[in-house]
Each structure stands twice: as structure tokens, then as C-alpha cells.
Amino acid sequence: MNNKWKHGVYVLVALAMVLIAVPRISLTGGLNLVNGFGIVWVLFALMVIGANLHFLLGVDDEKRKALERVRRAKLQQWQLQLDKERGR
């Protein structure tokens, strides 16, 4: 639970940074090095937000549970096949 709180804070901080930075990026002067850096920085901050939201929403937990179900089904299938071969 403590870990999720930490990721929530990271999302809020990164979102605040993006909300402050986006209005300051001006593309009226064309695409120069400063504006390019600003755009790349915002994209990186959005990736940080996305990664932390991914963790907060528990997508990894859902994937892990689905993979565990598949693994158990395979083990059960192998056990049935092994029992069938022993019965011959």
C-alpha cells in the first residue's frame, strides 16, 4: 500500500510539472533547439506519468494473475498426459 502512495505522489508531481511547462513552450518562433528540448521533456514527463499510472491501476497484477492461470492450466494438462502415459 505504501508503494502505491509513492507512485500517486510521483504522478501528481509529474503532472504539475507538465502543466507548468506546456504553456511556456512557444512554437511561434519555429522549431529550434530550445523548443525541441521542451517538447522532448514534456514527452518524457508524460511517459513517467503513464508508467506510474500503469502501476497504480494494477495492470501488472492482472497480467500476473492471467499468466498464473495459464501456467496452472498447462501443468494440469501435462499431469493428465503423464497420468495417461503411466496408465498404458
Side-chain angles (χ1 to χ4, degrees):
M1 185 65 180
N2 189 21
N3 210 12
K4 287 197 177 209
W5 182 82
K6 180 176 67 171
H7 287 281
V9 170
Y10 292 161
V11 168
L12 291 176
V13 169
L15 190 59
M17 290 182 349
V18 168
L19 291 175
I20 291 170
V22 168
R24 295 175 187 230
I25 298 174
S26 173
L27 296 178
T28 57
L31 189 60
N32 56 21
L33 193 58
V34 174
N35 291 339
F37 174 80
I39 292 169
V40 170
W41 185 90
V42 168
L43 291 175
F44 179 72
L46 291 174
M47 286 189 341
V48 169
I49 292 170
N52 283 293
L53 283 176
H54 179 81
F55 180 82
L56 283 174
L57 296 176
V59 176
D60 289 337
D61 291 338
E62 293 172 11
K63 275 185 183 178
R64 185 184 49 79
K65 288 177 184 177
L67 289 173
E68 182 65 25
R69 283 192 299 269
V70 169
R71 187 184 68 80
R72 285 184 184 166
K74 283 185 178 182
L75 286 173
Q76 189 176 32
Q77 185 180 18
W78 290 339
Q79 185 64 41
L80 289 173
Q81 185 177 4
L82 185 62
D83 291 344
K84 183 179 173 183
E85 289 177 3
R86 284 184 184 167
R88 287 185 182 177

